[in-house]
Amino acid sequence: MDTEALRWFQLVCDGMTVTEVAHVHQVSQPAVSRSLARLEAEVGTPLLQKAGRLLRPTYAGAVFKRHVDALIHRLDDGLAALTELTDPRTGTVAVAFQLSLGTFLVPGMIESFREEYPRVRFRLEQSHDALGSSMVAGGRIDLEFTSRRPRNPAVRWERLFAQPLFLAVPRRHRLARRREVSLADAAEEDFVMLRPSWELRTLSEQLCADAGFEPRVAFEVDDLPVVHGFVAAGLGVAIVPATEGEPQPVGAAAALVRLTDAGAFRDIGVAWSRERRLLPSAELFRRHVLALKGGRMPTATA
């Protein structure tokens, strides 16, 4: 059914003449009349009747008009939403990120991007680096900030920077006042670690093996803020990522000592789908992120 004919039907029912409709829409009067006639033929009953110079809706036309109004309003809302999505200045970008990157990297990236595109909105979801598929593979997420290199060939991952690893120790620990430390110095300590499904756990165990020992895992937990909390409580030490300028977890009482071991860092990158074309606003944000890679990552201002 021709939506243009439906719009003209609305206008005629609301009191405009066919001549006025033709003038407003810059078409010929016969073109409007033919479209209205085709609409009646499709519906299978007269919708309009002459009343002097005007066409007025029949009873069937009045009933049909209520449904046409609802349909056209929904259509216009949909077109407006689509315009918002496809206009880079007003679209919405769906971003996922690990909790540990949500304290400095993601807010800084969004803040610097919105200096140029203040009307772009963001839909945020939390992810983590537990082994598994990237969130962008399902199509709900445009970009994902993650340390996990996706195994799915349909997902592209681009490295942004290397985030150093630290040894987190209780404030009164014997290593707490050191600026740097080797993992070998903590070989006899109890460790607080993430569960085996996490990529950071695999990296931590490999670093300990390279330092010549197998870590004694006293506690396994589900996220980095919990790791910090257990270390602060004096329940062990932990290998954690941190970045200069990154705020420490609220209430943290653990000290962070830089690890000198080779390979004591994790790569942070951004992932997106190879198979799904990003909408313009998301593509602009992707380019903004990649333009900053290799340099100092932006952090949110206070």
Side-chain angles (χ1 to χ4, degrees), residues 121-150:
R121 293 180 292 182
F122 286 82
R123 178 167 58 82
L124 306 177
E125 291 196 25
Q126 182 184 335
S127 66
H128 55 70
D129 71 348
L131 303 179
S133 62
S134 171
M135 293 181 71
V136 302
R140 248 182 352 103
I141 296 296
D142 296 315
L143 298 168
E144 181 180 6
F145 291 93
T146 177
S147 63
R148 181 180 63 251
R149 294 175 184 264

PDB file of all heavy atoms in Angstrom, residues 121-150:
ATOM      1  N   ARG A 121      24.922   9.713  21.756  1.00  0.00           N
ATOM      2  CA  ARG A 121      24.641   9.041  23.022  1.00  0.00           C
ATOM      3  C   ARG A 121      25.321   7.672  23.048  1.00  0.00           C
ATOM      4  O   ARG A 121      25.659   7.121  22.007  1.00  0.00           O
ATOM      5  CB  ARG A 121      23.133   8.896  23.218  1.00  0.00           C
ATOM      6  CG  ARG A 121      22.432  10.236  23.420  1.00  0.00           C
ATOM      7  CD  ARG A 121      20.946  10.057  23.618  1.00  0.00           C
ATOM      8  NE  ARG A 121      20.299   9.579  22.398  1.00  0.00           N
ATOM      9  CZ  ARG A 121      18.993   9.379  22.282  1.00  0.00           C
ATOM     10  NH1 ARG A 121      18.191   9.597  23.312  1.00  0.00           N
ATOM     11  NH2 ARG A 121      18.465   8.956  21.140  1.00  0.00           N
ATOM     12  N   PHE A 122      25.489   7.138  24.250  1.00  0.00           N
ATOM     13  CA  PHE A 122      26.167   5.854  24.409  1.00  0.00           C
ATOM     14  C   PHE A 122      25.312   4.915  25.249  1.00  0.00           C
ATOM     15  O   PHE A 122      24.738   5.329  26.261  1.00  0.00           O
ATOM     16  CB  PHE A 122      27.536   6.045  25.078  1.00  0.00           C
ATOM     17  CG  PHE A 122      28.569   6.633  24.158  1.00  0.00           C
ATOM     18  CD1 PHE A 122      28.630   7.998  23.942  1.00  0.00           C
ATOM     19  CD2 PHE A 122      29.480   5.820  23.493  1.00  0.00           C
ATOM     20  CE1 PHE A 122      29.567   8.549  23.073  1.00  0.00           C
ATOM     21  CE2 PHE A 122      30.417   6.355  22.640  1.00  0.00           C
ATOM     22  CZ  PHE A 122      30.471   7.724  22.430  1.00  0.00           C
ATOM     23  N   ARG A 123      25.232   3.679  24.806  1.00  0.00           N
ATOM     24  CA  ARG A 123      24.601   2.617  25.588  1.00  0.00           C
ATOM     25  C   ARG A 123      25.720   1.699  26.070  1.00  0.00           C
ATOM     26  O   ARG A 123      26.443   1.115  25.265  1.00  0.00           O
ATOM     27  CB  ARG A 123      23.583   1.846  24.741  1.00  0.00           C
ATOM     28  CG  ARG A 123      22.928   0.690  25.476  1.00  0.00           C
ATOM     29  CD  ARG A 123      21.720   0.165  24.705  1.00  0.00           C
ATOM     30  NE  ARG A 123      22.057  -0.279  23.376  1.00  0.00           N
ATOM     31  CZ  ARG A 123      22.574  -1.479  23.091  1.00  0.00           C
ATOM     32  NH1 ARG A 123      22.826  -2.340  24.076  1.00  0.00           N
ATOM     33  NH2 ARG A 123      22.849  -1.826  21.849  1.00  0.00           N
ATOM     34  N   LEU A 124      25.869   1.580  27.384  1.00  0.00           N
ATOM     35  CA  LEU A 124      27.023   0.906  27.971  1.00  0.00           C
ATOM     36  C   LEU A 124      26.636  -0.429  28.587  1.00  0.00           C
ATOM     37  O   LEU A 124      25.583  -0.547  29.221  1.00  0.00           O
ATOM     38  CB  LEU A 124      27.661   1.802  29.037  1.00  0.00           C
ATOM     39  CG  LEU A 124      28.038   3.217  28.594  1.00  0.00           C
ATOM     40  CD1 LEU A 124      28.578   4.016  29.769  1.00  0.00           C
ATOM     41  CD2 LEU A 124      29.054   3.176  27.467  1.00  0.00           C
ATOM     42  N   GLU A 125      27.497  -1.419  28.399  1.00  0.00           N
ATOM     43  CA  GLU A 125      27.318  -2.722  29.035  1.00  0.00           C
ATOM     44  C   GLU A 125      28.658  -3.201  29.576  1.00  0.00           C
ATOM     45  O   GLU A 125      29.708  -2.899  29.007  1.00  0.00           O
ATOM     46  CB  GLU A 125      26.762  -3.752  28.045  1.00  0.00           C
ATOM     47  CG  GLU A 125      25.329  -3.485  27.634  1.00  0.00           C
ATOM     48  CD  GLU A 125      24.676  -4.698  26.981  1.00  0.00           C
ATOM     49  OE1 GLU A 125      25.130  -5.831  27.258  1.00  0.00           O
ATOM     50  OE2 GLU A 125      23.732  -4.497  26.198  1.00  0.00           O
ATOM     51  N   GLN A 126      28.608  -3.929  30.664  1.00  0.00           N
ATOM     52  CA  GLN A 126      29.835  -4.446  31.273  1.00  0.00           C
ATOM     53  C   GLN A 126      30.164  -5.829  30.707  1.00  0.00           C
ATOM     54  O   GLN A 126      29.301  -6.660  30.490  1.00  0.00           O
ATOM     55  CB  GLN A 126      29.673  -4.545  32.787  1.00  0.00           C
ATOM     56  CG  GLN A 126      30.916  -5.033  33.500  1.00  0.00           C
ATOM     57  CD  GLN A 126      30.680  -5.220  34.986  1.00  0.00           C
ATOM     58  OE1 GLN A 126      29.805  -4.590  35.562  1.00  0.00           O
ATOM     59  NE2 GLN A 126      31.441  -6.109  35.598  1.00  0.00           N
ATOM     60  N   SER A 127      31.449  -6.049  30.446  1.00  0.00           N
ATOM     61  CA  SER A 127      31.931  -7.371  30.070  1.00  0.00           C
ATOM     62  C   SER A 127      33.114  -7.697  30.976  1.00  0.00           C
ATOM     63  O   SER A 127      33.440  -6.931  31.881  1.00  0.00           O
ATOM     64  CB  SER A 127      32.355  -7.395  28.598  1.00  0.00           C
ATOM     65  OG  SER A 127      33.479  -6.564  28.386  1.00  0.00           O
ATOM     66  N   HIS A 128      33.747  -8.821  30.758  1.00  0.00           N
ATOM     67  CA  HIS A 128      34.977  -9.133  31.479  1.00  0.00           C
ATOM     68  C   HIS A 128      35.851  -9.978  30.576  1.00  0.00           C
ATOM     69  O   HIS A 128      35.441 -10.373  29.472  1.00  0.00           O
ATOM     70  CB  HIS A 128      34.711  -9.827  32.818  1.00  0.00           C
ATOM     71  CG  HIS A 128      33.886 -11.068  32.697  1.00  0.00           C
ATOM     72  ND1 HIS A 128      34.353 -12.225  32.115  1.00  0.00           N
ATOM     73  CD2 HIS A 128      32.618 -11.323  33.078  1.00  0.00           C
ATOM     74  CE1 HIS A 128      33.407 -13.141  32.156  1.00  0.00           C
ATOM     75  NE2 HIS A 128      32.339 -12.628  32.729  1.00  0.00           N
ATOM     76  N   ASP A 129      37.087 -10.243  31.019  1.00  0.00           N
ATOM     77  CA  ASP A 129      38.002 -10.937  30.117  1.00  0.00           C
ATOM     78  C   ASP A 129      38.020 -12.446  30.341  1.00  0.00           C
ATOM     79  O   ASP A 129      38.977 -13.118  29.992  1.00  0.00           O
ATOM     80  CB  ASP A 129      39.419 -10.354  30.206  1.00  0.00           C
ATOM     81  CG  ASP A 129      40.129 -10.698  31.512  1.00  0.00           C
ATOM     82  OD1 ASP A 129      39.464 -11.192  32.439  1.00  0.00           O
ATOM     83  OD2 ASP A 129      41.346 -10.467  31.592  1.00  0.00           O
ATOM     84  N   ALA A 130      36.945 -12.972  30.943  1.00  0.00           N
ATOM     85  CA  ALA A 130      36.835 -14.423  31.022  1.00  0.00           C
ATOM     86  C   ALA A 130      36.815 -14.993  29.607  1.00  0.00           C
ATOM     87  O   ALA A 130      36.263 -14.383  28.693  1.00  0.00           O
ATOM     88  CB  ALA A 130      35.567 -14.833  31.759  1.00  0.00           C
ATOM     89  N   LEU A 131      37.410 -16.147  29.418  1.00  0.00           N
ATOM     90  CA  LEU A 131      37.509 -16.714  28.082  1.00  0.00           C
ATOM     91  C   LEU A 131      36.122 -16.939  27.504  1.00  0.00           C
ATOM     92  O   LEU A 131      35.230 -17.454  28.159  1.00  0.00           O
ATOM     93  CB  LEU A 131      38.282 -18.033  28.135  1.00  0.00           C
ATOM     94  CG  LEU A 131      39.692 -17.940  28.723  1.00  0.00           C
ATOM     95  CD1 LEU A 131      40.335 -19.322  28.750  1.00  0.00           C
ATOM     96  CD2 LEU A 131      40.555 -16.987  27.911  1.00  0.00           C
ATOM     97  N   GLY A 132      35.928 -16.550  26.274  1.00  0.00           N
ATOM     98  CA  GLY A 132      34.630 -16.697  25.633  1.00  0.00           C
ATOM     99  C   GLY A 132      34.556 -15.804  24.420  1.00  0.00           C
ATOM    100  O   GLY A 132      35.508 -15.145  24.047  1.00  0.00           O
ATOM    101  N   SER A 133      33.378 -15.772  23.775  1.00  0.00           N
ATOM    102  CA  SER A 133      33.229 -15.009  22.548  1.00  0.00           C
ATOM    103  C   SER A 133      33.059 -13.528  22.862  1.00  0.00           C
ATOM    104  O   SER A 133      32.584 -13.146  23.925  1.00  0.00           O
ATOM    105  CB  SER A 133      32.027 -15.517  21.754  1.00  0.00           C
ATOM    106  OG  SER A 133      30.847 -15.348  22.502  1.00  0.00           O
ATOM    107  N   SER A 134      33.462 -12.702  21.913  1.00  0.00           N
ATOM    108  CA  SER A 134      33.324 -11.260  22.071  1.00  0.00           C
ATOM    109  C   SER A 134      31.851 -10.864  22.011  1.00  0.00           C
ATOM    110  O   SER A 134      31.056 -11.467  21.286  1.00  0.00           O
ATOM    111  CB  SER A 134      34.108 -10.542  20.975  1.00  0.00           C
ATOM    112  OG  SER A 134      33.828  -9.167  20.990  1.00  0.00           O
ATOM    113  N   MET A 135      31.499  -9.817  22.743  1.00  0.00           N
ATOM    114  CA  MET A 135      30.115  -9.359  22.763  1.00  0.00           C
ATOM    115  C   MET A 135      29.690  -8.728  21.441  1.00  0.00           C
ATOM    116  O   MET A 135      28.498  -8.592  21.176  1.00  0.00           O
ATOM    117  CB  MET A 135      29.910  -8.380  23.916  1.00  0.00           C
ATOM    118  CG  MET A 135      30.049  -9.015  25.290  1.00  0.00           C
ATOM    119  SD  MET A 135      29.776  -7.850  26.649  1.00  0.00           S
ATOM    120  CE  MET A 135      28.011  -7.585  26.521  1.00  0.00           C
ATOM    121  N   VAL A 136      30.642  -8.322  20.604  1.00  0.00           N
ATOM    122  CA  VAL A 136      30.267  -7.703  19.331  1.00  0.00           C
ATOM    123  C   VAL A 136      29.782  -8.743  18.321  1.00  0.00           C
ATOM    124  O   VAL A 136      29.151  -8.397  17.325  1.00  0.00           O
ATOM    125  CB  VAL A 136      31.434  -6.882  18.724  1.00  0.00           C
ATOM    126  CG1 VAL A 136      31.882  -5.804  19.670  1.00  0.00           C
ATOM    127  CG2 VAL A 136      32.595  -7.779  18.338  1.00  0.00           C
ATOM    128  N   ALA A 137      30.070 -10.020  18.575  1.00  0.00           N
ATOM    129  CA  ALA A 137      29.708 -11.063  17.608  1.00  0.00           C
ATOM    130  C   ALA A 137      28.201 -11.189  17.450  1.00  0.00           C
ATOM    131  O   ALA A 137      27.710 -11.534  16.379  1.00  0.00           O
ATOM    132  CB  ALA A 137      30.316 -12.396  18.031  1.00  0.00           C
ATOM    133  N   GLY A 138      27.448 -10.910  18.505  1.00  0.00           N
ATOM    134  CA  GLY A 138      26.001 -11.056  18.438  1.00  0.00           C
ATOM    135  C   GLY A 138      25.283  -9.910  17.769  1.00  0.00           C
ATOM    136  O   GLY A 138      24.088 -10.002  17.492  1.00  0.00           O
ATOM    137  N   GLY A 139      25.981  -8.790  17.525  1.00  0.00           N
ATOM    138  CA  GLY A 139      25.376  -7.661  16.833  1.00  0.00           C
ATOM    139  C   GLY A 139      24.761  -6.612  17.729  1.00  0.00           C
ATOM    140  O   GLY A 139      24.415  -5.527  17.274  1.00  0.00           O
ATOM    141  N   ARG A 140      24.594  -6.907  19.037  1.00  0.00           N
ATOM    142  CA  ARG A 140      23.990  -5.925  19.944  1.00  0.00           C
ATOM    143  C   ARG A 140      24.964  -4.833  20.334  1.00  0.00           C
ATOM    144  O   ARG A 140      24.573  -3.729  20.690  1.00  0.00           O
ATOM    145  CB  ARG A 140      23.506  -6.640  21.216  1.00  0.00           C
ATOM    146  CG  ARG A 140      22.020  -6.665  21.363  1.00  0.00           C
ATOM    147  CD  ARG A 140      21.541  -7.324  22.639  1.00  0.00           C
ATOM    148  NE  ARG A 140      22.532  -7.982  23.418  1.00  0.00           N
ATOM    149  CZ  ARG A 140      23.060  -7.462  24.531  1.00  0.00           C
ATOM    150  NH1 ARG A 140      22.703  -6.278  24.935  1.00  0.00           N
ATOM    151  NH2 ARG A 140      23.948  -8.143  25.212  1.00  0.00           N
ATOM    152  N   ILE A 141      26.269  -5.142  20.296  1.00  0.00           N
ATOM    153  CA  ILE A 141      27.308  -4.217  20.726  1.00  0.00           C
ATOM    154  C   ILE A 141      28.117  -3.775  19.512  1.00  0.00           C
ATOM    155  O   ILE A 141      28.493  -4.593  18.670  1.00  0.00           O
ATOM    156  CB  ILE A 141      28.227  -4.890  21.768  1.00  0.00           C
ATOM    157  CG1 ILE A 141      27.434  -5.233  23.029  1.00  0.00           C
ATOM    158  CG2 ILE A 141      29.417  -4.006  22.103  1.00  0.00           C
ATOM    159  CD1 ILE A 141      26.872  -4.029  23.769  1.00  0.00           C
ATOM    160  N   ASP A 142      28.395  -2.470  19.415  1.00  0.00           N
ATOM    161  CA  ASP A 142      29.180  -1.942  18.305  1.00  0.00           C
ATOM    162  C   ASP A 142      30.675  -2.138  18.541  1.00  0.00           C
ATOM    163  O   ASP A 142      31.398  -2.633  17.675  1.00  0.00           O
ATOM    164  CB  ASP A 142      28.890  -0.451  18.113  1.00  0.00           C
ATOM    165  CG  ASP A 142      27.449  -0.191  17.702  1.00  0.00           C
ATOM    166  OD1 ASP A 142      26.949  -0.913  16.824  1.00  0.00           O
ATOM    167  OD2 ASP A 142      26.823   0.726  18.266  1.00  0.00           O
ATOM    168  N   LEU A 143      31.141  -1.726  19.719  1.00  0.00           N
ATOM    169  CA  LEU A 143      32.562  -1.780  20.048  1.00  0.00           C
ATOM    170  C   LEU A 143      32.736  -2.331  21.456  1.00  0.00           C
ATOM    171  O   LEU A 143      31.937  -2.035  22.344  1.00  0.00           O
ATOM    172  CB  LEU A 143      33.196  -0.386  19.975  1.00  0.00           C
ATOM    173  CG  LEU A 143      33.181   0.317  18.612  1.00  0.00           C
ATOM    174  CD1 LEU A 143      33.559   1.775  18.774  1.00  0.00           C
ATOM    175  CD2 LEU A 143      34.128  -0.367  17.643  1.00  0.00           C
ATOM    176  N   GLU A 144      33.797  -3.114  21.643  1.00  0.00           N
ATOM    177  CA  GLU A 144      34.088  -3.669  22.966  1.00  0.00           C
ATOM    178  C   GLU A 144      35.543  -3.387  23.321  1.00  0.00           C
ATOM    179  O   GLU A 144      36.456  -3.730  22.570  1.00  0.00           O
ATOM    180  CB  GLU A 144      33.836  -5.174  22.997  1.00  0.00           C
ATOM    181  CG  GLU A 144      34.097  -5.798  24.368  1.00  0.00           C
ATOM    182  CD  GLU A 144      33.837  -7.295  24.398  1.00  0.00           C
ATOM    183  OE1 GLU A 144      33.570  -7.879  23.331  1.00  0.00           O
ATOM    184  OE2 GLU A 144      33.908  -7.875  25.493  1.00  0.00           O
ATOM    185  N   PHE A 145      35.748  -2.750  24.466  1.00  0.00           N
ATOM    186  CA  PHE A 145      37.097  -2.529  24.989  1.00  0.00           C
ATOM    187  C   PHE A 145      37.451  -3.730  25.855  1.00  0.00           C
ATOM    188  O   PHE A 145      36.753  -4.033  26.830  1.00  0.00           O
ATOM    189  CB  PHE A 145      37.162  -1.238  25.814  1.00  0.00           C
ATOM    190  CG  PHE A 145      37.003   0.012  24.988  1.00  0.00           C
ATOM    191  CD1 PHE A 145      35.766   0.597  24.808  1.00  0.00           C
ATOM    192  CD2 PHE A 145      38.103   0.595  24.383  1.00  0.00           C
ATOM    193  CE1 PHE A 145      35.618   1.748  24.041  1.00  0.00           C
ATOM    194  CE2 PHE A 145      37.974   1.738  23.612  1.00  0.00           C
ATOM    195  CZ  PHE A 145      36.724   2.311  23.442  1.00  0.00           C
ATOM    196  N   THR A 146      38.524  -4.414  25.502  1.00  0.00           N
ATOM    197  CA  THR A 146      38.823  -5.669  26.186  1.00  0.00           C
ATOM    198  C   THR A 146      40.287  -6.037  26.039  1.00  0.00           C
ATOM    199  O   THR A 146      40.951  -5.633  25.077  1.00  0.00           O
ATOM    200  CB  THR A 146      37.942  -6.809  25.610  1.00  0.00           C
ATOM    201  OG1 THR A 146      38.287  -8.035  26.217  1.00  0.00           O
ATOM    202  CG2 THR A 146      38.107  -6.924  24.104  1.00  0.00           C
ATOM    203  N   SER A 147      40.781  -6.803  26.997  1.00  0.00           N
ATOM    204  CA  SER A 147      42.132  -7.360  26.902  1.00  0.00           C
ATOM    205  C   SER A 147      42.108  -8.733  26.228  1.00  0.00           C
ATOM    206  O   SER A 147      43.153  -9.330  25.994  1.00  0.00           O
ATOM    207  CB  SER A 147      42.738  -7.491  28.306  1.00  0.00           C
ATOM    208  OG  SER A 147      41.979  -8.399  29.085  1.00  0.00           O
ATOM    209  N   ARG A 148      40.924  -9.225  25.936  1.00  0.00           N
ATOM    210  CA  ARG A 148      40.777 -10.557  25.361  1.00  0.00           C
ATOM    211  C   ARG A 148      40.879 -10.492  23.843  1.00  0.00           C
ATOM    212  O   ARG A 148      40.137  -9.757  23.181  1.00  0.00           O
ATOM    213  CB  ARG A 148      39.413 -11.144  25.748  1.00  0.00           C
ATOM    214  CG  ARG A 148      39.168 -12.544  25.223  1.00  0.00           C
ATOM    215  CD  ARG A 148      37.795 -13.054  25.650  1.00  0.00           C
ATOM    216  NE  ARG A 148      36.720 -12.268  25.100  1.00  0.00           N
ATOM    217  CZ  ARG A 148      35.955 -11.449  25.800  1.00  0.00           C
ATOM    218  NH1 ARG A 148      36.153 -11.310  27.091  1.00  0.00           N
ATOM    219  NH2 ARG A 148      34.994 -10.767  25.223  1.00  0.00           N
ATOM    220  N   ARG A 149      41.783 -11.233  23.271  1.00  0.00           N
ATOM    221  CA  ARG A 149      41.877 -11.329  21.813  1.00  0.00           C
ATOM    222  C   ARG A 149      40.841 -12.360  21.344  1.00  0.00           C
ATOM    223  O   ARG A 149      40.971 -13.548  21.655  1.00  0.00           O
ATOM    224  CB  ARG A 149      43.284 -11.763  21.390  1.00  0.00           C
ATOM    225  CG  ARG A 149      44.355 -10.738  21.703  1.00  0.00           C
ATOM    226  CD  ARG A 149      45.740 -11.283  21.363  1.00  0.00           C
ATOM    227  NE  ARG A 149      46.786 -10.368  21.746  1.00  0.00           N
ATOM    228  CZ  ARG A 149      47.359  -9.491  20.924  1.00  0.00           C
ATOM    229  NH1 ARG A 149      46.980  -9.448  19.663  1.00  0.00           N
ATOM    230  NH2 ARG A 149      48.315  -8.689  21.359  1.00  0.00           N
ATOM    231  N   PRO A 150      39.836 -11.941  20.613  1.00  0.00           N
ATOM    232  CA  PRO A 150      38.763 -12.874  20.240  1.00  0.00           C
ATOM    233  C   PRO A 150      39.261 -13.967  19.297  1.00  0.00           C
ATOM    234  O   PRO A 150      40.098 -13.732  18.428  1.00  0.00           O
ATOM    235  CB  PRO A 150      37.733 -11.974  19.547  1.00  0.00           C
ATOM    236  CG  PRO A 150      38.505 -10.789  19.095  1.00  0.00           C
ATOM    237  CD  PRO A 150      39.589 -10.593  20.107  1.00  0.00           C
TER     238      PRO A 150
END
